[in-house]
Amino acid sequence: MRGRLFVPKPAFDDLNALHDWLRLRCNELAERAELRPLGRAFDGYVERTVRVCSTCLVQYASNRYSVPSRFAGQHVSLRAYAGRNVLVSGQDVIAEHKRRFTRNVRYFEPWHYVPLLDRKPGALRDCAPFVGWQLPESMHRIREHYMAGKGGDREFVDLVLLTQDHGIEVVETACDLAVEQNTLRLRPTGSPRVNSAEKRNRRASKAPRRTRHEPRRVCRRLILFSYAAMTSVSSAA
């Protein structure tokens, strides 16, 4: 069998390409009845117990991988496969990363750290887990709008935290609608700037502020509307 598959010696860019090629060749041999039917697939991995450090990372070999922040300080199981690392707590898979063969590198999943932003929204700008965060296009555009102004960190964090209740798909749908309808702006077009005297008068009269939190209120309405719509569709199905 080795002579059939590996002579002449093939070359591949990575393990995934090798696996795909082997699967194709084995299927071809099976169709010619030259192989016995396979039994249950072998779930091959090396498992060990690891401790999650205070920065929500576990170490395997020479690298560190993130897990959801609620597991900081706990022990979890790490299952090392040929091409991926799976983190398990009890019977639940809590994180999965592509296995890396670099040295002394930290691999973050930004969503693992989102709950921590509620206490420290400023971490959104320069903390390592959020550097180069690849967000859906509509959320990225909204983030740029928010972060361009003072207090934008808090506004965008409030938006991202809604994913914990409604899920990323619902929030992304709401953001798509908000961008399409141009309803998420830090300052509505044409609205006048409020001078210091007027601000003091508003505080004295306890008048509600009109503009600063409007984007968040609009986004909340859109998200709840989308969530209700998707729930009703699921119930009807």
Side-chain angles (χ1 to χ4, degrees):
M1 185 59 64
R2 180 178 299 177
R4 294 186 183 186
L5 295 176
F6 297 104
V7 177
K9 185 177 180 180
F12 303 94
D13 293 333
D14 52 40
L15 286 175
N16 290 332
L18 171 60
H19 292 161
D20 292 341
W21 181 81
L22 279 175
R23 186 180 298 108
L24 179 62
R25 291 289 291 119
C26 288
N27 287 337
E28 291 175 352
L29 293 174
E31 290 175 0
R32 287 184 268 169
E34 298 182 32
L35 293 177
R36 290 180 296 176
L38 291 175
R40 186 175 62 180
F42 175 66
D43 191 21
Y45 57 82
V46 175
E47 185 169 18
R48 64 175 60 179
T49 299
V50 293
R51 185 178 184 277
V52 183
C53 70
S54 60
T55 53
C56 311
L57 296 167
V58 299
Q59 182 162 351
Y60 180 73
S62 299
N63 297 307
R64 296 181 179 87
Y65 304 88
S66 69
V67 300
S69 59
R70 66 182 181 276
F71 294 99
Q74 300 183 30
H75 287 84
V76 299
S77 294
L78 186 149
R79 298 174 181 175
Y81 292 81
R84 60 194 173 105
N85 290 327
V86 177
L87 285 305
V88 178
S89 178
Q91 301 299 317
D92 299 323
V93 174
I94 60 173
E96 183 172 331
H97 293 268
K98 181 179 179 180
R99 186 172 176 181
R100 309 286 183 165
F101 297 93
T102 51
R103 293 184 63 83
N104 302 320
V105 179
R106 296 174 299 174
Y107 294 98
F108 298 106
E109 169 49 66
W111 290 104
H112 291 164
Y113 296 85
V114 163
L116 302 179
L117 291 173
D118 193 24
R119 297 197 304 270
K120 295 184 178 181
L124 188 63
R125 291 186 181 270
D126 51 17
C127 271
F130 302 105
V131 174
W133 190 5
Q134 298 297 313
L135 289 165
E137 177 61 26
S138 57
M139 293 185 70
H140 176 71
R141 291 180 60 182
I142 292 171
R143 178 185 181 181
E144 288 185 330
H145 277 291
Y146 280 175
M147 301 296 277
K150 184 178 180 180
D153 311 66
R154 179 76 262 174
E155 295 289 341
F156 187 72
V157 166
D158 287 344
L159 166 63
V160 171
L161 287 173
L162 291 173
T163 61
Q164 297 180 95
D165 297 325
H166 305 290
I168 181 61
E169 293 84 4
V170 172
V171 175
E172 184 179 355
T173 298
C175 290
D176 290 341
L177 291 172
V179 170
E180 180 181 343
Q181 298 174 16
N182 198 27
T183 54
L184 281 175
R185 296 189 296 269
L186 284 175
R187 183 181 300 277
T189 302
S191 63
R193 292 185 176 274
V194 181
N195 59 37
S196 299
E198 187 175 348
K199 287 181 180 178
R200 287 194 296 270
N201 292 335
R202 286 187 181 180
R203 284 197 294 269
S205 63
K206 297 183 179 180
R209 297 178 181 178
R210 294 181 301 168
T211 60
R212 184 182 174 199
H213 295 293
E214 185 59 23
R216 186 170 61 191
R217 290 197 293 270
V218 171
C219 192
R220 284 183 184 275
R221 289 198 296 271
L222 283 171
I223 288 171
L224 293 175
F225 173 79
S226 301
Y227 180 72
M230 295 179 73
T231 302
S232 63
V233 170
S234 299
S235 301

